[in-house]
């Protein structure tokens, strides 16, 4: 079973699939994320595999996806490794924003040994606080 999260910034909202300890996006979602057309994203993905940067079998999965017409299709999704690879290849304002974001996270991990997702920290802190209050009342 996979969870669906929503990625949002000030201009777009993208459902992100979580499964097998990674996030997954299809080509259309990456096109939306990076502000490029699906064909351009497809070329970047093909180059990632052609150049041997990633092994296709390890980073691609098919998930049942319900389309706007109500039918369910098997759609190829690409894991975080592919998303990052494409993000560093694509030339767009959104691609630049993605690279800045990814580089900051990587810098935090390398220099501090960790990175903090402040939104998740706030949400978890509220849940912990509610659990403690409930426990104190019981």
């Amino acid at each position: 079973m996979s969870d669906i999260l929503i990625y949002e910034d000030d201009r777009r909202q993208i459902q992100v699939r979580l499964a097998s300890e990674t996030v997954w996006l299809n080509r259309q979602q990456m096109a939306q994320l990076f502000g490029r057309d699906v064909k351009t994203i497809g070329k970047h993905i093909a180059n990632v595999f052609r150049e041997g940067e990633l092994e296709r079998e390890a980073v691609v999965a098919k998930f049942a996806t319900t389309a706007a017409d109500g039918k369910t299709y098997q759609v190829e999704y690409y894991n975080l490794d592919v998303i990052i690879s494409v993000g560093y290849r694509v030339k767009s304002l959104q691609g630049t924003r993605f690279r800045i974001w990814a580089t900051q996270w990587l810098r935090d991990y390398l220099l501090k040994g960790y990175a903090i997702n402040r939104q998740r920290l706030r949400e978890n802190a509220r849940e912990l606080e509610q659990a403690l209050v409930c426990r104190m009342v019981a």
Side-chain angles (χ1 to χ4, degrees):
M1 178 84 180
S2 63
D3 297 323
I4 302 291
L5 293 181
I6 305 292
Y7 166 83
E8 291 184 82
D9 66 15
D10 57 340
R11 294 188 178 90
R12 67 200 143 268
Q13 184 180 65
I14 301 169
Q15 289 187 342
V16 178
R17 183 181 296 268
L18 293 176
S20 303
E21 298 183 8
T22 189
V23 298
W24 300 86
L25 293 177
N26 61 39
R27 290 179 188 211
Q28 289 78 17
Q29 291 170 311
M30 278 195 266
Q32 185 181 6
L33 176 64
F34 296 125
R36 288 291 179 242
D37 61 61
V38 175
K39 188 174 180 179
T40 300
I41 297 301
K43 287 180 182 180
H44 286 304
I45 291 170
N47 287 336
V48 165
F49 299 136
R50 184 178 50 77
E51 295 168 5
E53 182 175 342
L54 297 171
E55 294 287 327
R56 181 177 182 76
E57 298 76 29
V59 296
V60 179
K62 288 191 177 186
F63 294 109
T65 303
T66 304
D69 64 5
K71 295 180 182 176
T72 301
Y73 300 92
Q74 290 295 317
V75 176
E76 282 191 342
Y77 280 75
Y78 304 89
N79 78 2
L80 183 60
D81 296 345
V82 179
I83 298 165
I84 289 171
S85 295
V86 171
Y88 274 94
R89 291 168 181 260
V90 72
K91 303 291 188 260
S92 69
L93 179 58
Q94 290 93 321
T96 300
R97 288 181 180 152
F98 174 83
R99 289 188 291 277
I100 290 168
W101 171 85
T103 300
Q104 183 60 51
W105 278 89
L106 182 58
R107 182 179 295 117
D108 285 350
Y109 275 112
L110 291 173
L111 297 178
K112 298 178 191 174
Y114 63 90
I116 296 175
N117 180 328
R118 296 191 192 291
Q119 180 181 349
R120 182 177 280 171
L121 181 64
R122 281 191 295 272
E123 290 169 3
N124 288 342
R126 282 192 294 269
E127 288 177 21
L128 177 60
E129 184 177 316
Q130 288 173 352
L132 290 174
V133 168
C134 289
R135 187 171 184 185
M136 290 173 61
V137 172

